[in-house]
Amino acid sequence: MKLPASTAPSLFDRSALTLRRARAQDEALFLHRAAVDEVQDRLSMVNRTFTAPAIVTPFHQIWQSVLPDANIIPDDETLALTPGTHDLVIHAMALHWANDPVGQLIQCNRALRPDGLMLVVCLGGETLHQLRAALGQAEIAVTGGLSPRIAPMAELRDLGSLLQRAGLALPVADVAALTAEYRDLYHLMRDLRAMGETNVLSDRLRRPTKRQIFDQAQKAYSEHFATPEDRLPATFELICLTGWSPDESQPKPLRPGSAQMRLAEALNTDEGNLPD
């Protein structure tokens, strides 16, 4: 079933994103390889063999040897997934660029068989917080205003709630933070370009940025965040989401009031009133 076209304004320029990704360099895709590690770690804890996996990713070469039998598709606005055909869907390092993240999760859920697993890895809200602060401080100092430079990324709690909105059961959300260190601001920006993770906000500044802003941002970055070795740390927050396609075989929460024992009895302690 094709999802209706969204009438909401697009946060991201997907055409620009495609061009940036086309220039990405394989050796710079360490975040995607970290996502592979996170996925493999979580799959190792699931006592199940998956026979019909699908992987949504902008970089198929990262995943083609991880699950050789997987159907690997790009993270287009409408995903090339057939409803009810997969027992595992992995959405890998792309949800933070989606104009409709809930829609992406709904499409993945529809592609799952009953009791199928969905696993998402994406960037979260603490990603590049040092760069965001330094650039903001510098731009205000130089121009007196701010322009959209770093994409707003969802927090852990918000992303966890998206799983429920998408109709997935037994949702779990957790985080793994990575820190990379750079010689200077320009080294970091070159690395982001090589990752294909530079600014593609629809409302981004379309003219070249003054060198003075970057120089000021370098100074602010160093003053507030530099390590004792005079390196600039950059945080990348990987948020991992898991949810299951609903099925009658899954555990259900007990009905409120159905407990057969008071909590105090179970803990072998006294029950008392809270102070006013």
Side-chain angles (χ1 to χ4, degrees):
M1 180 186 298
K2 186 175 180 179
L3 292 178
S6 174
T7 58
S10 294
L11 180 61
F12 300 113
D13 181 346
R14 296 283 303 184
S15 297
L17 179 61
T18 299
L19 292 174
R20 307 285 170 85
R21 286 172 169 174
R23 295 195 292 266
Q25 300 170 20
D26 188 73
E27 63 271 16
L29 301 178
F30 66 89
L31 292 176
H32 292 264
R33 292 185 170 88
V36 170
D37 292 341
E38 292 296 328
V39 166
Q40 290 179 319
D41 183 53
R42 281 156 180 76
L43 290 179
S44 71
M45 295 184 284
V46 179
N47 187 24
R48 182 176 302 187
T49 299
F50 296 100
T51 59
I55 304 173
V56 180
T57 173
F59 296 108
H60 66 90
Q61 72 273 21
I62 300 293
W63 290 90
Q64 58 191 3
S65 63
V66 177
L67 294 171
D69 298 328
N71 178 23
I72 301 179
I73 66 166
D75 63 312
D76 297 327
E77 301 278 17
T78 301
L79 300 175
L81 291 170
T82 304
T85 58
H86 299 287
D87 55 4
L88 170 66
V89 174
I90 300 168
H91 201 292
M93 290 297 291
L95 195 67
H96 55 279
W97 287 126
N99 282 312
D100 182 12
V102 178
Q104 291 278 302
L105 297 182
I106 290 173
Q107 291 179 74
C108 292
N109 188 14
R110 288 177 177 172
L112 287 170
R113 299 169 183 169
D115 202 32
L117 174 63
M118 179 171 181
L119 221 164
V120 179
V121 184
C122 63
L123 293 178
E126 287 298 303
T127 298
L128 296 176
H129 69 88
Q130 303 97 333
L131 180 61
R132 188 191 307 273
L135 281 173
Q137 181 178 328
E139 192 166 20
I140 289 172
V142 174
T143 69
L146 282 172
S147 58
R149 293 188 179 275
I150 299 177
M153 298 179 195
E155 301 295 334
L156 179 66
R157 180 181 298 179
D158 298 327
L159 285 168
S161 69
L162 293 187
L163 293 174
Q164 293 177 306
R165 288 179 59 188
L168 290 151
L170 309 174
V172 176
D174 62 292
V175 63
L178 304 177
T179 301
E181 293 184 356
Y182 295 90
R183 294 187 304 272
D184 52 34
L185 182 72
Y186 302 100
H187 182 201
L188 169 56
M189 291 193 296
R190 282 194 297 272
D191 213 21
L192 292 174
R193 191 176 300 115
M195 296 178 200
E197 296 282 346
T198 49
N199 186 6
V200 293
L201 287 163
S202 296
D203 293 335
R204 68 190 182 279
L205 196 67
R206 302 300 176 116
R207 61 179 185 274
T209 297
K210 295 178 180 179
R211 176 68 180 237
Q212 185 183 0
I213 291 177
F214 292 130
D215 289 343
Q216 189 76 16
Q218 164 68 32
K219 182 180 177 182
Y221 209 135
S222 270
E223 287 179 352
H224 296 295
F225 302 109
T227 69
E229 295 78 24
D230 204 27
R231 305 278 289 182
L232 300 186
T235 297
F236 297 96
E237 184 180 57
L238 296 184
I239 290 183
C240 306
L241 310 173
T242 57
W244 296 82
S245 179
D247 186 70
E248 285 301 316
S249 66
Q250 293 166 351
K252 304 290 191 302
L254 293 175
R255 232 176 352 96
S258 62
Q260 301 298 311
M261 179 185 294
R262 298 200 316 274
L263 180 60
E265 293 175 3
L267 297 175
N268 194 26
T269 186
D270 295 328
E271 182 177 6
N273 296 324
L274 290 173
D276 293 333

